[in-house]
Amino acid sequence: MFDFGSKELIIPIIMIISGLVLRFKPPSKINIFYGYRTNRSMNSQKAWDYAQRRIGALWLYMGIFLYIVFILSMSFIPVAKENLSFIHGAIGIITLIIGIPFVEKELKEKFDKDVKPKN
């Protein structure tokens, strides 16, 4: 059986918490301290606001999905705990990063070169 306090669940929990914050209480102004900070997202307030909500939604849903998958895999997959921890960590990190190209693509499609909203 597994331990609900398992360190393997840290990445999904961080994704869920970060997703909730960025989705529902994002940083209101462009800043260098926290939020989804890329050149494209920081070019205008509208792009910034859109990027925060979008990455927040992605991380929230992916975090919930990973949490469930990790619990099920810890319960039913007969693999050494050390190996499963490594696999979960790698999947978690990849999942955190994988949302970035999606948001960047959406920003590119939604805002023109001057970062003004496209019609």
Side-chain angles (χ1 to χ4, degrees):
M1 205 53 159
F2 67 92
D3 175 15
F4 275 106
S6 176
K7 293 175 186 159
E8 295 178 57
L9 299 175
I10 288 175
I11 292 175
I13 290 170
I14 289 172
M15 289 179 75
I16 292 167
I17 292 169
S18 298
L20 286 168
V21 169
L22 291 174
R23 178 82 171 124
F24 298 109
K25 191 70 170 149
S28 58
K29 294 182 181 177
I30 299 171
N31 68 77
I32 60 169
F33 301 110
Y34 85 104
Y36 180 80
R37 298 178 319 265
T38 63
N39 289 335
R40 195 176 303 273
S41 70
M42 294 175 77
N43 276 336
S44 78
Q45 188 64 46
K46 288 186 180 193
W48 174 262
D49 294 338
Y50 178 82
Q52 304 312 306
R53 288 188 305 274
R54 191 65 184 111
I55 198 72
L58 285 172
W59 282 352
L60 175 61
Y61 299 130
M62 289 190 293
I64 291 169
F65 177 75
L66 280 184
Y67 189 87
I68 293 167
V69 168
F70 286 6
I71 287 176
L72 291 174
S73 67
M74 289 187 295
S75 299
F76 299 112
I77 296 179
V79 175
K81 184 175 180 166
E82 298 81 22
N83 294 338
L84 198 55
S85 292
F86 177 77
I87 292 167
H88 286 164
I91 290 170
I93 291 169
I94 290 167
T95 306
L96 273 170
I97 295 169
I98 208 162
I100 295 170
F102 289 106
V103 174
E104 288 299 302
K105 181 178 182 253
E106 289 177 15
L107 286 171
K108 187 176 181 179
E109 291 171 356
K110 195 165 183 68
F111 300 93
D112 65 14
K113 289 181 183 179
D114 297 323
V115 198
K116 295 177 183 170
K118 291 182 179 178
N119 292 336

